[in-house]
């Protein structure tokens, strides 16, 4: 392609000598009759170079008028050009919830407090879920965005509660005692129990909404209702009388661990199904659609 060096001096057509002589004393006439006009590179570009480039791509036959805007340009749906963030959130859930469920059940001598997994709650349960929630929000997926952000915030809060530098339980410890004594106080156990109660209510709302999605999500949210319900009961028992109710509370904690294990296994199933679909695997794992189980939605009925 030949090189092009623009000349920023535009020479207008020459005027007759008589016309030039009549406008000697007219400044505007002198400007109009000037042999060259100096202009900036920006002005030259706007006048001569800012033309729309030609389109070298013919319109494919499969494109309909809905695919083009009013100028005939191809509409680009940027949401189709980004990946699905749901598997990111599922990885965060299953990698943090599954070990926690094993801790709550006390498998092979695991500590039921879950302190050993604090870093996992921060980076898998918290970071990945919040990241996926923001991506779902950008894609316009409201329900997954709310769910992932809620449980991501829970894991971050739970990790912060177990982190000694947060002084969540150390502030309840009696004067002169170790910070861990705060875990046995009525104030700490009752306060933390109320946090779990409202997480149980939130999970119940998610469970109702999931009745329009698939069976796997219904199982996850139903099991999470059991998790927060049993754990809140355990902390209320410890708040009433730590020494006397410790054994009963331990049973509630193990029941919460069983529910958490069920939720995590359903999460693994959901993750496997989405990843197999992502790589177009020959075998697909069904999730059990419930979109028509409770009838058409409000918008569908209004459009009927």
């Amino acid at each position: 392609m030949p090189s092009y060096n623009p000349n920023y001096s535009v020479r207008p057509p020459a005027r007759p000598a008589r016309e030039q002589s009549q406008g000697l004393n007219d400044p505007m006439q002198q400007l109009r009759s000037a042999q060259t006009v100096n202009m900036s590179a920006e002005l030259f570009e706007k006048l001569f170079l800012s033309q729309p480039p030609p389109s070298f791509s013919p319109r494919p036959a499969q494109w309909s008028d809905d695919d083009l805007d009013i100028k005939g340009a191809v509409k680009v749906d940027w949401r189709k050009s980004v990946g699905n963030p749901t598997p990111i959130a599922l990885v965060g859930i299953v990698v943090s919830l599954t070990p926690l469920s094993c801790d709550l059940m006390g498998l092979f001598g695991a500590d039921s407090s879950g302190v050993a997994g604090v870093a996992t709650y921060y980076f898998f349960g918290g970071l990945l879920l919040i990241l996926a929630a923001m991506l779902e929000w950008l894609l316009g997926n409201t329900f997954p965005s709310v769910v992932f952000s809620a449980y991501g915030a829970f894991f971050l809060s739970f990790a912060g509660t177990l982190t000694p530098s947060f002084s969540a339980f150390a502030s309840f410890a009696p004067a002169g005692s170790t910070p861990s004594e705060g875990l046995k106080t009525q104030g700490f156990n009752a306060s933390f129990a109320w946090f779990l109660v409202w997480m149980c209510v939130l999970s119940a709302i998610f469970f109702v909404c999931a009745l329009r999605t698939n069976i796997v999500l219904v199982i996850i949210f139903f099991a999470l209702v059991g998790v927060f319900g049993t754990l809140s009961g355990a902390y209320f028992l410890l708040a009433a009388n730590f020494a006397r109710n410790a054994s009963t509370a331990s049973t509630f904690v193990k029941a919460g661990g069983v529910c958490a294990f069920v939720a995590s296994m359903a999460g693994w199933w959901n993750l496997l199904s989405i990843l197999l679909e992502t790589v177009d695997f020959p075998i697909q794992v069904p999730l059990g659609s419930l979109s028509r189980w409770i009838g058409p939605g409000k918008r569908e009925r209004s459009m009927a």
Side-chain angles (χ1 to χ4, degrees):
M1 180 181 294
S3 60
Y4 176 68
N5 297 321
N7 182 9
Y8 301 135
S9 298
V10 181
R11 182 182 299 274
R15 295 178 178 270
R18 178 183 177 184
E19 184 177 345
Q20 294 180 7
S21 61
Q22 291 178 354
L24 291 177
N25 298 324
D26 186 359
M28 295 303 298
Q29 182 65 24
Q30 293 178 6
L31 178 62
R32 287 194 295 268
S33 62
Q35 295 299 314
T36 60
V37 177
N38 295 324
M39 64 178 65
S40 64
E42 292 79 6
L43 180 58
F44 182 86
E45 181 179 356
K46 290 181 180 179
L47 292 176
F48 298 100
L49 302 182
S50 60
Q51 301 296 327
S55 176
F56 299 103
S57 299
R59 171 178 171 175
Q62 66 270 21
W63 284 355
S64 63
D65 292 336
D66 295 334
D67 297 324
L68 305 177
D69 60 15
I70 58 176
K71 296 182 180 180
V74 181
K75 294 179 181 179
V76 178
D77 188 357
W78 64 271
R79 292 178 298 179
K80 296 180 181 179
S81 62
V82 298
N84 183 8
T86 302
I88 299 176
L90 291 174
V91 168
I93 290 175
V94 297
V95 175
S96 55
L97 185 60
T98 307
L100 177 60
S101 65
C102 297
D103 291 344
L104 295 176
M105 290 186 292
L107 295 181
F108 301 103
D111 182 23
S112 60
S113 65
V115 177
V118 170
T120 306
Y121 311 146
Y122 274 122
F123 296 104
F124 276 91
L127 178 62
L128 291 186
L129 279 168
I130 296 297
L131 174 62
M134 295 300 100
L135 294 176
E136 294 281 9
W137 178 76
L138 291 175
L139 293 175
N141 301 328
T142 303
F143 183 60
S145 176
V146 174
V147 170
F148 297 155
S149 60
Y151 291 119
F154 166 77
F155 277 111
L156 290 175
S157 303
F158 184 56
T161 303
L162 298 178
T163 303
S165 59
F166 277 68
S167 299
F169 55 85
S171 58
F172 291 93
S177 61
T178 60
S180 60
E181 291 297 319
L183 295 171
K184 302 178 181 179
T185 60
Q186 182 182 24
F188 171 79
N189 287 290
S191 299
F192 194 71
W194 281 115
F195 172 52
L196 297 176
V197 165
W198 295 112
M199 284 300 303
C200 179
V201 173
L202 183 61
S203 299
I205 295 175
F206 293 157
F207 167 75
V208 174
C209 296
L211 295 175
R212 290 274 297 172
T213 57
N214 57 69
I215 296 176
V216 176
L217 280 183
V218 169
I219 295 175
I220 291 176
F221 291 124
F222 183 76
L224 289 176
V225 170
V227 172
F228 294 116
T230 53
L231 291 181
S232 60
Y235 278 96
F236 276 129
L237 287 173
L238 295 176
N241 192 313
F242 188 89
R244 185 180 62 189
N245 297 330
S247 178
T248 306
S250 177
T251 303
F252 275 71
V253 170
K254 290 182 179 179
V258 173
C259 294
F261 188 79
V262 173
S264 63
M265 291 300 103
W268 283 107
W269 183 273
N270 198 354
L271 176 63
L272 176 63
S273 175
I274 294 179
L275 291 181
L276 290 180
E277 183 179 359
T278 300
V279 298
D280 196 20
F281 203 76
I283 301 175
Q284 298 297 315
V285 176
L287 297 177
S289 176
L290 295 174
S291 58
R292 298 294 178 181
W293 183 65
I294 56 177
K298 180 181 178 180
R299 284 176 293 184
E300 295 183 34
R301 292 198 302 269
S302 62
M303 295 173 61

